[in-house]
Amino acid sequence: MDRANKPKTLPKLSSTPGLPPQPTVTFTDDNSRLRADLPTGESIEVLLYGATVISWKDATGDEKLWLSEAAKLDGSKAVRGGIPLVFPVFGTAPDHPQTKDLPQHGFARTSRWEFLGKSTSESMVGVKLDFGLSSATPGLDPKAAALWPFKFNLIYSVTLNPESLTTSIVATNDDAAAPFDCQVLMHTYLRVKDITAVEITGLASAPYTDKVGPSAPSTKTQPATPPTLTITGETDRVYTPTEDAVTVSEAGQPRFRVTRDNLANVVVWNPWADKAAAMADFKPDDGYKNMVCVEPGAVGGWQAVEGGDAFEGAQTIKLVG
């Protein structure tokens, strides 16, 4: 919910003489997005539509997330790129009574979230941004509210540190009489220089659902040897790894280490040439060469949330190498 006199730049939490410089948070003139900057140079941008992280830069200004050149940033469509948030359903679920009528990937990424504030401290080198969406939030997609009439409260936190980015969600059921099922996914688009040079480790021997091919969906197991996954064509897989972290390397050099907290699955996705060219909001057509989605989530089944209870999950993407 917008505040009439919301400042464009939030004040620092402390102005005590002698304290080191503090992170800053700045809004765009139309209050559609905000940017957080660390004194060390790192930054993120978050679109309030979907609470979508659309940029993450290191101290040198190097972008770590892929964003389509045709991504809609005006609230008319879910963003193609960055880190869209999937809730309460992954894909579509025509056989699940509670979510069968919801649009693909639910409504979290197509609702306007409320910015709840920032937090930091003298001992914290980064900044934490909190966003809220609930069944009572004015920005909730009205069609989705009618199709999923549960009382819920979501708190989504984005924490920027000099060498890492963490996104976490707490999904609370506010209705003691109506338990609900949900799925959660952080649809992270990592930027790479050359998809053919990418190797992903941490998935060896993991079972997965392959959503590409004539027999799709099919259940398979990632080979233990070699211990790396390479991308050589359209890829859409839902893994259930035993390891908590997945490492993305390029040309033999580790670049990202993605660690999951209470998220059992990892989706690996790249549309490759034909599918990328067929998607109107995926530009340039050869953009698939510069991205790979490594998406922590809880999507292999359903998370049952009883009244008064909550589901929590998080990912941390650490820059390595």
Side-chain angles (χ1 to χ4, degrees), residues 183-205:
Q183 295 176 326
V184 173
L185 182 82
M186 297 170 188
H187 199 319
T188 308
Y189 290 72
L190 297 174
R191 177 177 287 275
V192 298
K193 295 179 180 179
D194 179 5
I195 189 62
T196 64
V198 167
E199 296 181 330
I200 302 173
T201 57
L203 301 173
S205 302

Short mmCIF file of all heavy atoms in Angstrom, two decimals, residues 183-205:
data_model
loop_
_atom_site.label_atom_id
_atom_site.label_comp_id
_atom_site.label_asym_id
_atom_site.label_seq_id
_atom_site.Cartn_x
_atom_site.Cartn_y
_atom_site.Cartn_z
N GLN A 183 2.80 -24.59 -3.37
CA GLN A 183 4.13 -24.83 -3.89
C GLN A 183 4.84 -23.47 -3.99
O GLN A 183 4.20 -22.44 -4.18
CB GLN A 183 4.06 -25.50 -5.27
CG GLN A 183 3.44 -26.89 -5.22
CD GLN A 183 3.27 -27.51 -6.59
OE1 GLN A 183 3.00 -26.82 -7.58
NE2 GLN A 183 3.44 -28.83 -6.67
N VAL A 184 6.17 -23.51 -3.87
CA VAL A 184 6.98 -22.28 -3.89
C VAL A 184 8.19 -22.52 -4.76
O VAL A 184 8.79 -23.60 -4.73
CB VAL A 184 7.44 -21.90 -2.46
CG1 VAL A 184 8.42 -20.74 -2.50
CG2 VAL A 184 6.25 -21.56 -1.58
N LEU A 185 8.54 -21.51 -5.57
CA LEU A 185 9.73 -21.62 -6.40
C LEU A 185 10.33 -20.23 -6.60
O LEU A 185 9.59 -19.26 -6.80
CB LEU A 185 9.39 -22.22 -7.77
CG LEU A 185 10.58 -22.42 -8.71
CD1 LEU A 185 11.30 -23.74 -8.37
CD2 LEU A 185 10.12 -22.44 -10.16
N MET A 186 11.65 -20.15 -6.53
CA MET A 186 12.37 -18.91 -6.83
C MET A 186 13.02 -19.09 -8.20
O MET A 186 14.03 -19.77 -8.34
CB MET A 186 13.36 -18.60 -5.72
CG MET A 186 12.62 -18.37 -4.40
SD MET A 186 13.67 -18.26 -2.97
CE MET A 186 12.41 -18.24 -1.65
N HIS A 187 12.39 -18.49 -9.20
CA HIS A 187 12.66 -18.76 -10.61
C HIS A 187 13.88 -17.94 -11.07
O HIS A 187 13.76 -17.01 -11.89
CB HIS A 187 11.41 -18.39 -11.41
CG HIS A 187 11.34 -18.99 -12.77
ND1 HIS A 187 12.41 -19.09 -13.61
CD2 HIS A 187 10.28 -19.52 -13.44
CE1 HIS A 187 12.02 -19.65 -14.76
NE2 HIS A 187 10.72 -19.91 -14.67
N THR A 188 15.05 -18.29 -10.57
CA THR A 188 16.25 -17.47 -10.73
C THR A 188 16.90 -17.64 -12.10
O THR A 188 17.29 -18.74 -12.48
CB THR A 188 17.27 -17.81 -9.64
OG1 THR A 188 16.63 -17.74 -8.36
CG2 THR A 188 18.44 -16.86 -9.68
N TYR A 189 17.04 -16.52 -12.83
CA TYR A 189 17.74 -16.50 -14.11
C TYR A 189 19.16 -16.00 -13.88
O TYR A 189 19.38 -14.80 -13.68
CB TYR A 189 17.06 -15.54 -15.08
CG TYR A 189 15.71 -15.95 -15.63
CD1 TYR A 189 14.56 -15.93 -14.83
CD2 TYR A 189 15.56 -16.30 -16.97
CE1 TYR A 189 13.32 -16.26 -15.35
CE2 TYR A 189 14.32 -16.63 -17.50
CZ TYR A 189 13.20 -16.61 -16.69
OH TYR A 189 11.97 -16.93 -17.21
N LEU A 190 20.13 -16.89 -13.91
CA LEU A 190 21.52 -16.49 -13.74
C LEU A 190 22.12 -16.10 -15.08
O LEU A 190 21.89 -16.77 -16.10
CB LEU A 190 22.33 -17.64 -13.13
CG LEU A 190 21.92 -18.08 -11.72
CD1 LEU A 190 22.71 -19.31 -11.30
CD2 LEU A 190 22.09 -16.95 -10.71
N ARG A 191 22.89 -15.02 -15.09
CA ARG A 191 23.54 -14.56 -16.32
C ARG A 191 24.88 -15.29 -16.50
O ARG A 191 25.68 -15.36 -15.56
CB ARG A 191 23.77 -13.05 -16.27
CG ARG A 191 24.52 -12.50 -17.49
CD ARG A 191 24.66 -10.99 -17.41
NE ARG A 191 23.39 -10.33 -17.67
CZ ARG A 191 22.92 -10.03 -18.88
NH1 ARG A 191 23.62 -10.36 -19.96
NH2 ARG A 191 21.76 -9.42 -19.02
N VAL A 192 25.10 -15.83 -17.68
CA VAL A 192 26.36 -16.48 -18.03
C VAL A 192 26.85 -15.91 -19.35
O VAL A 192 26.09 -15.27 -20.10
CB VAL A 192 26.22 -18.01 -18.12
CG1 VAL A 192 25.82 -18.59 -16.77
CG2 VAL A 192 25.23 -18.42 -19.21
N LYS A 193 28.12 -16.15 -19.67
CA LYS A 193 28.68 -15.65 -20.92
C LYS A 193 28.44 -16.61 -22.08
O LYS A 193 28.24 -16.18 -23.21
CB LYS A 193 30.18 -15.39 -20.75
CG LYS A 193 30.50 -14.26 -19.76
CD LYS A 193 31.99 -14.06 -19.62
CE LYS A 193 32.30 -12.94 -18.63
NZ LYS A 193 33.77 -12.75 -18.45
N ASP A 194 28.46 -17.91 -21.77
CA ASP A 194 28.33 -18.91 -22.84
C ASP A 194 27.73 -20.17 -22.26
O ASP A 194 28.38 -20.89 -21.51
CB ASP A 194 29.70 -19.20 -23.46
CG ASP A 194 29.65 -20.24 -24.57
OD1 ASP A 194 28.54 -20.68 -24.94
OD2 ASP A 194 30.73 -20.61 -25.06
N ILE A 195 26.48 -20.45 -22.60
CA ILE A 195 25.78 -21.60 -22.01
C ILE A 195 26.50 -22.92 -22.34
O ILE A 195 26.45 -23.87 -21.55
CB ILE A 195 24.31 -21.65 -22.49
CG1 ILE A 195 23.52 -22.72 -21.73
CG2 ILE A 195 24.23 -21.88 -23.98
CD1 ILE A 195 23.42 -22.50 -20.25
N THR A 196 27.21 -22.97 -23.46
CA THR A 196 27.89 -24.22 -23.82
C THR A 196 29.10 -24.48 -22.94
O THR A 196 29.64 -25.60 -22.94
CB THR A 196 28.32 -24.21 -25.29
OG1 THR A 196 29.31 -23.18 -25.49
CG2 THR A 196 27.13 -23.96 -26.21
N ALA A 197 29.54 -23.46 -22.19
CA ALA A 197 30.68 -23.63 -21.28
C ALA A 197 30.24 -23.84 -19.84
O ALA A 197 31.09 -23.95 -18.95
CB ALA A 197 31.60 -22.41 -21.37
N VAL A 198 28.92 -23.92 -19.60
CA VAL A 198 28.39 -24.04 -18.24
C VAL A 198 28.38 -25.48 -17.78
O VAL A 198 27.99 -26.40 -18.53
CB VAL A 198 26.97 -23.44 -18.17
CG1 VAL A 198 26.28 -23.83 -16.86
CG2 VAL A 198 27.02 -21.93 -18.32
N GLU A 199 28.81 -25.70 -16.55
CA GLU A 199 28.72 -27.00 -15.89
C GLU A 199 28.07 -26.80 -14.53
O GLU A 199 28.40 -25.87 -13.81
CB GLU A 199 30.11 -27.63 -15.71
CG GLU A 199 30.80 -27.96 -17.02
CD GLU A 199 32.17 -28.60 -16.80
OE1 GLU A 199 32.80 -28.29 -15.76
OE2 GLU A 199 32.58 -29.41 -17.64
N ILE A 200 27.14 -27.68 -14.20
CA ILE A 200 26.42 -27.60 -12.92
C ILE A 200 26.73 -28.84 -12.11
O ILE A 200 26.53 -29.98 -12.58
CB ILE A 200 24.90 -27.48 -13.16
CG1 ILE A 200 24.60 -26.25 -14.02
CG2 ILE A 200 24.15 -27.39 -11.83
CD1 ILE A 200 23.15 -26.13 -14.44
N THR A 201 27.22 -28.65 -10.90
CA THR A 201 27.51 -29.76 -10.00
C THR A 201 26.59 -29.70 -8.79
O THR A 201 26.04 -28.67 -8.46
CB THR A 201 28.98 -29.73 -9.54
OG1 THR A 201 29.24 -28.47 -8.91
CG2 THR A 201 29.92 -29.91 -10.71
N GLY A 202 26.45 -30.85 -8.12
CA GLY A 202 25.57 -30.95 -6.96
C GLY A 202 24.30 -31.72 -7.27
O GLY A 202 23.42 -31.85 -6.40
N LEU A 203 24.20 -32.23 -8.50
CA LEU A 203 22.99 -32.96 -8.92
C LEU A 203 23.27 -34.43 -9.20
O LEU A 203 22.35 -35.17 -9.57
CB LEU A 203 22.40 -32.31 -10.18
CG LEU A 203 22.00 -30.83 -10.05
CD1 LEU A 203 21.60 -30.29 -11.42
CD2 LEU A 203 20.87 -30.67 -9.05
N ALA A 204 24.51 -34.86 -9.02
CA ALA A 204 24.88 -36.24 -9.34
C ALA A 204 24.02 -37.23 -8.57
O ALA A 204 23.78 -37.07 -7.36
CB ALA A 204 26.35 -36.48 -9.04
N SER A 205 23.51 -38.23 -9.27
CA SER A 205 22.70 -39.32 -8.72
C SER A 205 21.31 -38.87 -8.26
O SER A 205 20.57 -39.67 -7.66
CB SER A 205 23.42 -40.03 -7.55
OG SER A 205 24.67 -40.54 -7.97
#
